[in-house]
Amino acid sequence: MAGVVHRHHHFARRGYRQRVYVERTKPLEQYTTEELYARFHFGKADIEHLVNLLRPKLQHRTQRSHGLSVEDQILIALRFYACGTFYQVVGDYMGVAKSAVCDVVKDVSIALASLVNEFVSFPKDNQIAQAKRSFFLLGNMPNTIGAIDCTHVHIQAPRENEWEFVNIKGRHSINVQLVCDADLIITNCVVKWPGSVHDARILRESALYRDLQTNRPDGIILGDSAYPLLPWLMTPFLTANTPAQARFNTAHCRARCAIERSNGVLKRRFACLNYLRAEPQKACNITLACIVLHNIATKRNVPLCADNDAPEPLGDPDQPPAFCQNEQTGRATRDAIVRHYF
C-alpha cells in the first residue's frame, strides 16, 4: 500500500504479530507555508527546491526496502534538523519507522555535505568589493571581507578517543570553524576537530590559512583575541591606549558580530546542532548538511522568528591568545588601519 507504514505488535503467547497500518503524513499537502516554516523551518517552494537539488543523489533510495520518495526523505531530515529530537519521535510524527529515520538522516546529510564546496565559497573577484561594502555598512570597519570564529556542536560521548572531545567547559563536542560575510552567509568552514582543540590550531592547520598565507587576500578577516594577529587577520587591541584604538575596537566588535549572529542563526534554525546523539563522523556530516542548508535558507530569504536571530554567546573566554611569527607584521598592518581610518 502506497504511503503506508507497516508496524507490528507482538503477542508472545499466541506466537504471531498483528500488522497495523499507519497512514504516512503528507506535509506539503496538509500544511500552509506558515505551518511548514514552523515545523520544518522551510516553506513549500524551498522544500521543492531542495527536492530538485537532491533528487540525483537520493532517488536511488526509492528502490530500497523503505520505498521513501525523495520528498519524504527531505521532509524527515528537515524535521530532525529543525527539532533535534529522538529518531523515534520524528518517526512517529512523520509516520515512518525509527530505523528509516536513522537511515534517511544519514543519507540526506551525506548528500548535502557533498555539496559544501558548491554552496560555501570564499569571496573572489567582484564579490570582494561587495563584501567590503557590506561590512563597512555594518560596523564602519574598512577593507573587511569576513569574520571568523569557532562554535561547539555538542555530541554524546564517543566510543573511541572520548577524552579528545571534551571541551574547555567539560562537554563532548566538535569544534567547528566558520567564516561568514556581513549577510551571515558562511564562506568557509572546517568541520572535523574534537572539542579539545584550540580555535587557533584549527585555523593554523586549515586550507584557508595556507591559502591566505601564500596568496595575501585583498582585504582582512576579523577574529577575536583567541586568534593570532596576522596581516590578513585583525584582532582587537587587548588594551586600547588611545581614542583611535578604542574606535578601532568598537568598529571591529560591530563588524565581527556577524559571525556570532551567523552561529546563533545556524543553531536556532537547526536545533539538532545544540546536541547530537551521534558518533563524531555522523555529527560532522549533519553539521555540514546544516551549514549548506543555512546558506540556501539565507540566500532564499527563508524567514526566522524575531527571537531566532539573536547573537550566540561569546566563545570560550578562557582560551589564551595565540601568537605566531607573523604577529609583528600583523601589528604593523593594524596600526596602519588605525592611522588611516580611525
Side-chain angles (χ1 to χ4, degrees):
M1 296 177 65
V4 171
V5 178
H6 297 170
R7 297 200 179 158
H8 301 91
H9 290 269
H10 294 262
F11 295 84
R13 292 180 59 188
R14 297 187 180 182
Y16 69 86
R17 295 181 299 174
Q18 179 183 5
R19 180 168 286 181
V20 178
Y21 297 95
V22 180
E23 190 68 28
R24 192 173 290 155
T25 60
K26 297 178 180 178
L28 292 190
E29 298 177 13
Q30 291 176 226
Y31 299 128
T32 65
T33 293
E34 289 72 21
E35 290 170 333
L36 289 171
Y37 284 138
R39 290 162 175 80
F40 301 94
H41 295 182
F42 284 87
K44 183 175 182 179
D46 308 310
I47 293 168
E48 290 171 345
H49 172 76
L50 293 172
V51 169
N52 292 329
L53 176 68
L54 295 175
R55 189 182 305 280
K57 296 179 180 293
L58 296 176
Q59 59 188 356
H60 70 280
R61 276 187 55 83
T62 60
Q63 307 302 318
R64 289 165 60 175
S65 58
H66 297 298
L68 292 167
S69 69
V70 174
E71 180 183 300
D72 287 336
Q73 293 174 65
I74 289 173
L75 287 166
I76 290 166
L78 288 179
R79 181 64 179 174
F80 171 78
Y81 299 148
C83 299
T85 187
F86 292 98
Y87 289 149
Q88 184 67 65
V89 176
V90 175
D92 289 346
Y93 183 84
M94 297 298 298
V96 299
K98 173 184 173 182
S99 60
V101 176
C102 182
D103 290 343
V104 165
V105 170
K106 176 183 177 181
D107 285 1
V108 174
S109 296
I110 290 173
L112 283 164
S114 72
L115 299 174
V116 68
N117 290 333
E118 181 179 338
F119 287 95
V120 179
S121 59
F122 203 67
K124 294 183 178 67
D125 305 326
N126 60 323
Q127 299 171 327
I128 289 177
Q130 178 57 47
K132 290 179 180 180
R133 281 193 295 271
S134 296
F135 270 110
F136 192 78
L137 289 172
L138 180 64
N140 291 325
M141 193 69 188
N143 211 35
T144 302
I145 59 175
I148 187 170
D149 201 2
C150 283
T151 188
H152 286 264
V153 174
H154 296 119
I155 62 172
Q156 67 184 17
R159 289 192 292 264
E160 298 180 1
N161 302 321
E162 174 269 341
W163 58 273
E164 291 185 347
F165 293 86
V166 180
N167 63 31
I168 201 167
K169 295 182 179 178
R171 298 185 64 184
H172 298 91
S173 66
I174 305 293
N175 197 3
V176 178
Q177 176 181 286
L178 298 174
V179 180
C180 79
D181 65 16
D183 299 316
L184 312 189
I185 295 289
I186 294 169
T187 58
N188 185 267
C189 63
V190 178
V191 186
K192 65 178 182 180
W193 289 96
S196 65
V197 179
H198 191 288
D199 294 2
R201 182 188 169 192
I202 296 174
L203 171 65
R204 189 173 63 248
E205 302 207 16
S206 68
L208 178 71
Y209 179 87
R210 292 191 296 273
D211 290 345
L212 298 186
Q213 284 286 81
T214 305
N215 304 299
R216 176 83 178 271
D218 179 19
I220 57 172
I221 296 174
L222 307 179
D224 63 20
S225 57
Y227 288 101
L229 178 60
L230 304 172
W232 48 268
L233 175 54
M234 293 292 103
T235 60
F237 290 93
L238 294 179
T239 302
N241 294 317
T242 69
Q245 289 180 358
R247 288 191 292 271
F248 172 92
N249 276 5
T250 298
H252 186 286
C253 181
R254 286 176 179 168
R256 196 181 67 82
C257 78
I259 188 62
E260 294 168 10
R261 290 189 63 228
S262 184
N263 286 342
V265 168
L266 178 68
K267 288 186 175 179
R268 285 162 177 78
R269 194 187 296 277
F270 306 110
C272 69
L273 297 182
N274 291 301
Y275 180 72
L276 286 171
R277 299 171 186 86
E279 287 295 307
Q281 185 56 60
K282 185 171 185 179
C284 287
N285 285 334
I286 291 171
T287 303
L288 283 167
C290 291
I291 288 170
V292 170
L293 288 172
H294 166 89
N295 278 1
I296 291 172
T298 305
K299 289 177 181 176
R300 292 178 64 87
N301 296 312
V302 177
L304 271 176
C305 296
D307 60 349
N308 276 357
D309 63 351
E312 190 184 56
L314 290 174
D316 303 320
D318 298 326
Q319 288 203 345
F323 300 98
C324 72
Q325 60 187 5
N326 295 86
E327 175 105 2
Q328 194 63 41
T329 313
R331 186 177 292 112
T333 303
R334 186 174 64 182
D335 289 344
I337 291 174
V338 171
R339 281 197 309 273
H340 291 129
Y341 295 99
F342 296 97

